[in-house]
C-alpha cells in the first residue's frame, strides 16, 4: 500500500528516487510524486497515474552535488487520485510523504483551519506538514517541532519530512507502517517503505520498530524510541541480489510468477524433506508442546491458504484447527485459550489486520508463529517463530506463487505435526513426502495447456457471472480462483462449496452463468460430479477441470492423472491462475496493476 523512498547524498537524486519508486510501484500506482531540496530550494513533481507520467514531467530536471529528496507512489485512501492529493504534500516550507492512515486527521485539520491554515488536498497526510509548521513557530528547532507533531498523531504511519531551513536533513518516523533506513560505503543514506527499494544501493539497513523516529543527514542517522531515548543503530546486511528481475520475456509479472512456481516450490521444499519426516530447522519442537488447537489467521489469498491448512491439519495431525479472517478476528472479541497456537499467514508480513491480530494474540499470551514470504517483515520480527515460504519477490498484485508456496509449507507442516503426534502411519507420511517432491514438476506449465486456456478464454468474457465450485480443499481453491478472476478481469465471480449450490445459488443458473467446476479424481469425485450435473441440468455453461472425462460440461480442461488429491490441487491451481490471466488480458486489463488494488495492504 503506497511506497516511500528518500535519499541523502551527492548522486543525481531524481533518478535514485524514481528507481526506488519503480520497485514499489506495484504497491500503489494511482499517482506519484517527488520533492527535492537543494541549497534551500525545493523542486516538486507530481503526476496522476503510473510512474512513467511522473518521469515524463520531471524529464528535464537534474541536480548536481549534494541534495536530499523524498518520493511517494500512492494508493488512495483519503481523497481521489488527483495531483493535489498526490504526495509529497506542502506546507509553507516543508514537504511530507506518508504511508498509513492518520485516524484523528479530521479533528487536527479542524483545529488548524480554525487558526487560519489552508488545506489544498483531501488527504489525511496534509495535516502532518501543517501541524509540523504550526509547532515550528514555537519549538526550539525543527526536530523539536517534528517530535511535537508525532505526539499528536493517531493511527498508522511511516513518514518522511523535509524542511527548507534544514536543507540537509530528512526527518522520519514509523508507527504501524514499515520504514527502513539504509546506508552505503559512499556515505549515502536511503529510506524506503520496503527493502526492495534499497537493494543494490545500500549494503546495510535498519528495520525501524514502531515508535522509532529521528533524522538523517550527511553526518549520519539519529534514532529515538517512543520514550524519546536514543537508540543504538543496529544495521543488518541487505541482500545484494536484485531479485526483482525484469519480466524476462513474459507479458506480465503475473505470468512470469505463474511460470516460476516450479522453481520456487523446489526452493520451498529444499532442506525440509527427509526420507521419513518433514523438518523445519527454524521451528523449535517446544513450540507445539501443550498445544491442543491451532488458530490460523490471514487475509485474502493467504486466508484461502489457511483454509486449505484447516483441512490438512485436522486430517493429518488430528488437531483442532480454526481459521479466521484477520479483519473480523480483531474486532469480534474472540474467546482464546492458552493451549492455542496462533498462526498468521502473510505474503508481505505487513498486512495491517493480520499484524494487529498477531499483536492481539501475543498480548493474550498465546504462542505465535508466522508463515511469511518476507524475511525481516514486521510479522516475522514479532512472532515467536517463523517459516519463510521462499517464493521470492512477488510483483503481480494478484498473488500466485506466494499462494503456492504457502500451501506447500502448510502441507509440510501438517505432515511434520502428524509425525510428532503419531497421527498418520509412517508409510503414509513417506508417501506424501514423495508427492511433495513431485510438486515442482506438477506445477510446471505445459505449453499446450496454456494455449488451450488462451483459446478458451475468449468464450468467457461476457455472461452475468462466474461460480467456481469445489469440495474439501478444492473449496478454498474455488474461492481463490474466483478471487483471481475478479481481481484482474473485474468480472463478478464467487467461490462456493459444490454441495452448497442447491441451498440458494443454483437459482442463478442459466446459460449466461459460467461455472468453473473443480472435479478431482481423488477427493469426493462422485459427490462433486453430481453437484455439477445439477448445474448442467439447469443449463449453466460449465467448464470442468478434471483428469477424467466429463460429458456434461460445455468445455473440459483435462489435467494430468496423478496419485493424490493434493497433486490435483496444485495442477488445478495453475489452470485457474492461467485462465484468469488470459481472460483479463483479452479484456485489455493491466494484469499486474489491476484497478483499485495494491500489494501489501498496510491500512485497515
Ligand atoms: C490477492 C491478494 C490479497 C492478499 C491479501 C493479504 O491476490 O494478493 O488478497 O493475499 O491482501 O496479503 P498478505 O498475504 O501480504 O498478508
Amino acid at each position: 500500500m503506497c511506497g516511500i523512498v528518500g535519499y541523502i547524498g551527492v548522486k543525481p537524486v531524481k533518478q535514485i528516487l524514481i528507481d526506488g519508486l519503480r520497485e514499489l510501484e506495484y504497491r500503489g500506482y494511482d499517482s506519484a510524486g517527488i520533492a527535492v531540496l537543494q541549497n534551500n530550494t525545493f523542486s516538486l513533481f507530481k503526476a496522476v497515474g503510473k510512474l512513467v507520467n511522473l518521469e515524463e514531467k520531471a524529464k528535464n530536471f537534474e541536480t548536481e552535488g549534494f541534495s536530499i529528496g523524498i518520493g511517494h507512489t500512492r494508493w488512495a485512501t483519503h481523497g481521489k487520485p488527483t495531483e493535489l492529493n498526490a504526495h509529497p504534500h506542502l506546507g509553507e516550507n516543508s514537504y511530507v510523504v506518508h504511508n498509513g492512515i492518520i485516524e484523528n486527521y479530521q479533528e487536527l485539520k479542524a483545529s488548524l483551519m480554525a487558526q487560519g491554515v489552508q488545506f489544498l488536498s483531501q488527504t489525511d497526510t496534509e495535516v502532518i506538514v501543517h501541524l509540523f509548521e504550526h509547532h515550528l513557530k514555537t519549538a526550539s528547532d525543527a526536530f523539536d517541532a517534528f517530535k511535537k507533531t508525532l505526539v499528536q498523531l493517531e493511527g498508522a504511519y511511516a513518514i518522511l519530512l523535509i524542511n527548507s531551513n534544514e536543507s540537509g536533513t530528512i526527518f522520519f518516523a514509523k508507527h504501524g507502517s514499515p520504514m527502513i533506513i539504509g546506508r552505503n560505503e559512499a556515505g549515502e543514506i536511503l529510506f524506503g517503505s520496503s527493502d526492495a527499494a534499497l537493494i543494490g544501493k545500500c549494503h546495510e539497513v535498519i528495520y525501524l520498530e514502531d515508535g522509532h523516529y529521528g533524522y538523517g543527514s550527511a553526518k549520519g542517522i539519529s534514532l529515538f524510541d517512543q520514550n524519546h531515548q536514543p537508540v543504538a543503530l543496529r544495521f543488518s546486511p541487505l541482500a545484494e541480489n536484485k531479485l526483482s528481475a525484469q519480466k524476462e520475456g513474459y507479458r506480465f509479472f503475473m505470468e512470469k510468477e505463474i511460470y516460476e512456481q516450479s522453481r520456487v516450490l523446489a526452493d520451498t521444499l529444499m532442506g525440509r524433506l527427509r526420507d521419513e519426516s518433514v523438518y523445519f530447522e527454524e521451528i523449535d519442537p517446544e513450540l507445539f508442546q501443550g498445544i491442543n488447537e491451532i488458530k490460523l489467521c490471514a487475509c485474502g489469498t493467504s486466508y484461502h491458504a489457511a483454509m486449505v491448512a484447516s483441512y490438512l491439519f485436522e486430517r493429518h495431525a488430528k488437531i483442532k484447527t480454526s481459521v479466521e479472517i484477520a479483519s473480523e478476528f480483531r474486532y469480534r472479541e474472540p474467546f482464546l485459550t492458552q493451549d492455542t497456537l496462533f498462526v498468521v499467514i502473510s505474503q508481505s508480513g505487513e498486512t495491517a489486520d493480520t499484524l494487529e491480530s498477531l499483536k492481539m494474540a501475543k498480548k493474550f499470551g498465546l504462542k505465535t508463529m508466522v508463515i511469511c514470504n518476507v524475511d525481516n517483515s514486521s510479522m516475522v520480527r514479532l512472532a515467536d517463530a517463523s517459516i519463510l515460504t521462499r517464493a521470492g519477490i512477488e510483483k503481480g498484485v494478484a498473488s500466485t506463487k506466494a499462494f503456492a508456496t504457502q500451501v506447500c509449507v502448510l502441507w509440510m507442516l501438517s505432515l511434520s505435526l502428524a509425525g510428532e503426534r503419531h497421527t498418520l502411519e509412517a508409510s503414509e507420511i513417506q508417501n506424501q513426502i514423495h508427492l511433495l517432491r513431485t510438486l515442482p514438476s506438477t506445477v510446471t506449465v505445459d505449453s499446450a495447456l496454456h494455449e488451450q486456456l488462451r483459446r478458451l478464454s475468449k468464450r468467457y468474457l461476457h455472461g452475468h457471472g462466474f461460480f467456481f465450485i469445489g469440495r474439501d480443499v478444492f473449496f478454498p481453491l474455488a474461492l481463490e480462483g474466483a478471487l483471481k478472476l475478479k481481481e484482474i478481469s473485474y468480472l463478478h465471480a464467487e467461490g462456493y462449496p459444490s454441495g452448497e449450490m442447491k441451498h440458494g445459488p443454483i437459482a442463478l443458473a442459466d446459460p449466461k452463468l459460467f461455472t468453473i467446476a473443480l472435479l478431482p479424481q481423488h477427493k469426493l469425485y462422485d459427490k462433486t460430479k453430481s453437484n455439477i450435473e445439477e448445474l448442467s441440468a439447469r443449463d449453466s455453461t460449465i467448464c470442468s477441470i478434471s483428469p477424467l472425462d466429463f460429458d456434461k460440461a460445455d468445455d473440459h480442461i483435462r489435467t494430468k492423472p496423478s496419485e493424490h488429491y493434493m497433486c490435483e490441487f496444485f495442477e488445478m491451481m495453475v489452470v485457474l491462475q492461467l485462465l484468469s490471466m488470459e481472460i483479463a488480458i483479452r479484456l485489455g486489463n493491466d494484469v499486474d496493476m489491476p484497478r483499485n488494488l495494491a500489494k501489501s495492504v498496510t491500512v485497515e
Side-chain angles (χ1 to χ4, degrees):
M1 199 124 288
C2 306
I4 287 185
V5 290
Y7 175 74
I8 302 173
V10 293
K11 291 214 182 102
V13 60
K14 175 188 80 179
Q15 209 47 49
I16 291 186
L17 296 177
I18 288 189
D19 288 350
L21 290 178
R22 185 165 296 112
E23 294 298 324
L24 305 176
E25 193 185 11
Y26 65 105
R27 289 164 180 260
Y29 37 79
D30 52 39
S31 55
I34 56 171
V36 170
L37 180 56
Q38 189 171 41
N39 304 327
N40 301 81
T41 306
F42 277 119
S43 307
L44 174 76
F45 301 91
K46 291 187 190 190
V48 173
K50 299 206 177 129
L51 203 56
V52 285
N53 300 346
L54 178 68
E55 272 185 291
E56 177 59 26
K57 278 205 161 175
K59 68 176 181 216
N60 297 323
F61 171 69
E62 295 301 341
T63 48
E64 260 180 44
F66 181 83
S67 65
I68 65 174
I70 56 178
H72 189 269
T73 171
R74 177 169 185 250
W75 186 81
T77 54
H78 293 81
K80 285 190 184 320
T82 60
E83 245 177 61
L84 269 185
N85 288 335
H87 303 214
H89 288 287
L90 173 69
E92 273 175 35
N93 52 6
S94 323
Y95 276 104
V96 70
V97 291
H98 158 233
N99 281 359
I101 291 183
I102 304 302
E103 283 168 1
N104 59 337
Y105 86 100
Q106 269 164 327
E107 65 191 74
L108 292 171
K109 186 169 174 175
S111 131
L112 287 162
M113 284 173 77
Q115 295 168 59
V117 177
Q118 293 208 342
F119 280 75
L120 295 175
S121 77
Q122 299 153 311
T123 66
D124 52 335
T125 302
E126 195 183 346
V127 81
I128 303 170
V129 70
H130 291 305
L131 197 57
F132 168 77
E133 295 199 333
H134 166 77
H135 286 304
L136 201 53
K137 291 180 191 142
T138 53
S140 53
D141 57 24
F143 185 50
D144 187 34
F146 187 63
K147 276 196 288 191
K148 290 188 163 123
T149 305
L150 296 179
V151 170
Q152 283 184 274
L153 301 181
E154 287 170 18
Y157 50 80
I159 296 171
L160 295 181
L161 184 144
I162 54 180
N163 171 259
S164 59
N165 298 327
E166 300 268 350
S167 142
T169 306
I170 295 183
F171 300 98
F172 60 84
K174 179 223 185 295
H175 183 79
S177 290
M179 172 69 83
I180 294 144
I181 308 177
R183 68 178 179 191
N184 59 26
E185 274 126 10
E188 294 165 303
I189 296 176
L190 284 101
F191 299 82
S193 51
S194 157
D195 52 14
L198 309 187
I199 291 174
K201 299 195 180 76
C202 296
H203 67 287
E204 52 182 11
V205 291
I206 307 174
Y207 295 89
L208 298 188
E209 302 287 336
D210 278 348
H212 278 179
Y213 68 96
Y215 54 92
S217 69
K219 292 189 200 131
I221 298 156
S222 299
L223 181 62
F224 299 86
D225 67 15
Q226 57 200 0
N227 301 318
H228 311 294
Q229 297 305 309
V231 176
L233 302 181
R234 274 199 205 92
F235 283 90
S236 331
L238 182 65
E240 284 170 19
N241 184 357
K242 207 163 192 169
L243 293 169
S244 56
Q246 298 314 309
K247 289 182 202 152
E248 292 168 10
Y250 292 100
R251 292 165 292 172
F252 291 95
F253 278 109
M254 181 182 179
E255 185 175 37
K256 174 173 172 252
E257 286 160 6
I258 293 171
Y259 273 74
E260 257 172 19
Q261 290 180 121
S262 170
R263 183 177 57 73
V264 298
L265 279 173
D267 289 344
T268 307
L269 297 168
M270 198 169 47
R272 289 169 169 168
L273 299 182
R274 295 176 169 174
D275 288 344
E276 292 169 5
S277 61
V278 175
Y279 173 68
F280 288 102
E281 192 184 31
E282 54 274 68
I283 299 298
D284 182 345
E286 282 247 314
L287 186 73
F288 296 99
Q289 268 167 31
I291 293 300
N292 292 313
E293 183 181 345
I294 295 180
K295 197 174 267 300
L296 299 154
C297 184
C299 300
T301 289
S302 300
Y303 171 75
H304 299 151
M307 284 179 74
V308 176
S310 70
Y311 289 85
L312 300 182
F313 285 3
E314 295 205 339
R315 184 168 295 150
H316 296 161
K318 306 288 175 239
I319 186 158
K320 188 173 159 201
T321 307
S322 52
V323 196
E324 305 270 357
I325 288 186
S327 55
E328 284 299 305
F329 175 78
R330 285 178 66 182
Y331 299 106
R332 71 169 182 80
E333 298 172 36
F335 176 71
L336 301 170
T337 53
Q338 294 293 325
D339 59 353
T340 301
L341 175 67
F342 193 82
V343 181
V344 287
I345 304 174
S346 174
Q347 188 284 127
S348 61
E350 304 293 349
T351 302
D353 284 318
T354 314
L355 182 59
E356 286 308 314
S357 301
L358 175 61
K359 288 182 188 163
M360 268 172 70
K362 283 206 75 127
K363 205 162 162 195
F364 195 77
L366 300 191
K367 288 185 183 175
T368 58
M369 177 160 102
V370 59
I371 293 171
C372 190
N373 193 34
V374 182
D375 196 7
N376 272 316
S377 58
S378 301
M379 286 182 219
V380 169
R381 282 179 281 135
L382 192 65
D384 299 327
S386 55
I387 300 180
L388 294 178
T389 50
R390 305 178 182 165
I393 293 176
E394 190 179 57
K395 284 206 155 188
V397 163
S399 184
T400 53
K401 61 176 181 167
F403 176 71
T405 55
Q406 286 168 344
V407 176
C408 176
V409 162
L410 291 160
W411 182 9
M412 283 195 279
L413 192 57
S414 76
L415 297 180
S416 159
L417 282 170
E420 293 287 324
R421 296 163 65 87
H422 308 289
T423 47
L424 271 188
E425 295 284 339
S427 58
E428 180 53 25
I429 295 182
Q430 268 180 38
N431 177 42
Q432 293 201 31
I433 288 174
H434 154 74
L435 297 170
L436 278 162
R437 290 188 202 280
T438 66
L439 283 188
S441 60
T442 304
V443 300
T444 299
V445 179
D446 175 339
S447 55
L449 173 75
H450 192 166
E451 178 55 17
Q452 184 197 357
L453 293 167
R454 196 189 63 74
R455 292 181 63 78
L456 201 66
S457 60
K458 64 174 171 292
R459 295 164 66 160
Y460 291 88
L461 305 177
H462 57 287
H464 59 65
F466 285 75
F467 277 150
F468 285 69
I469 60 169
R471 280 176 175 257
D472 201 273
V473 292
F474 296 87
F475 162 45
L477 183 59
L479 290 173
E480 177 58 10
L483 181 63
K484 283 297 81 88
L485 184 70
K486 63 187 140 196
E487 279 180 298
I488 57 176
S489 72
Y490 320 141
L491 296 171
H492 180 236
E494 286 187 75
Y496 262 103
S498 313
E500 189 64 13
M501 298 308 289
K502 57 172 109 35
H503 298 287
I506 202 166
L508 291 176
D510 70 16
K512 287 189 178 164
L513 177 84
F514 299 143
T515 300
I516 310 292
L518 306 178
L519 183 56
Q521 181 180 3
H522 298 294
K523 186 55 72 188
L524 301 170
Y525 178 78
D526 291 323
K527 299 236 173 278
T528 311
K529 190 164 163 260
S530 52
N531 297 142
I532 305 169
E533 279 164 0
E534 285 155 11
L535 277 152
S536 171
R538 271 111 193 138
D539 234 2
S540 167
T541 298
I542 292 177
C543 175
S544 55
I545 307 174
S546 178
L548 303 181
D549 282 338
F550 180 59
D551 58 8
K552 300 281 185 337
D554 299 87
D555 290 309
H556 184 65
I557 298 163
R558 183 189 280 279
T559 47
K560 295 189 285 279
S562 58
E563 295 170 44
H564 193 272
Y565 70 90
M566 282 307 290
C567 297
E568 297 188 279
F569 176 99
F570 277 91
E571 204 186 334
M572 290 186 189
M573 172 197 79
V574 175
V575 170
L576 296 180
Q577 293 166 342
L578 289 171
L579 183 62
S580 301
M581 187 188 75
E582 291 301 338
I583 291 174
I585 292 174
R586 275 193 196 272
L587 290 169
N589 298 344
D590 181 343
V591 167
D592 285 335
M593 296 189 194
R595 71 183 186 202
N596 304 340
L597 298 179
K599 195 89 182 158
S600 190
V601 185
T602 50
V603 293
E604 290 195 48

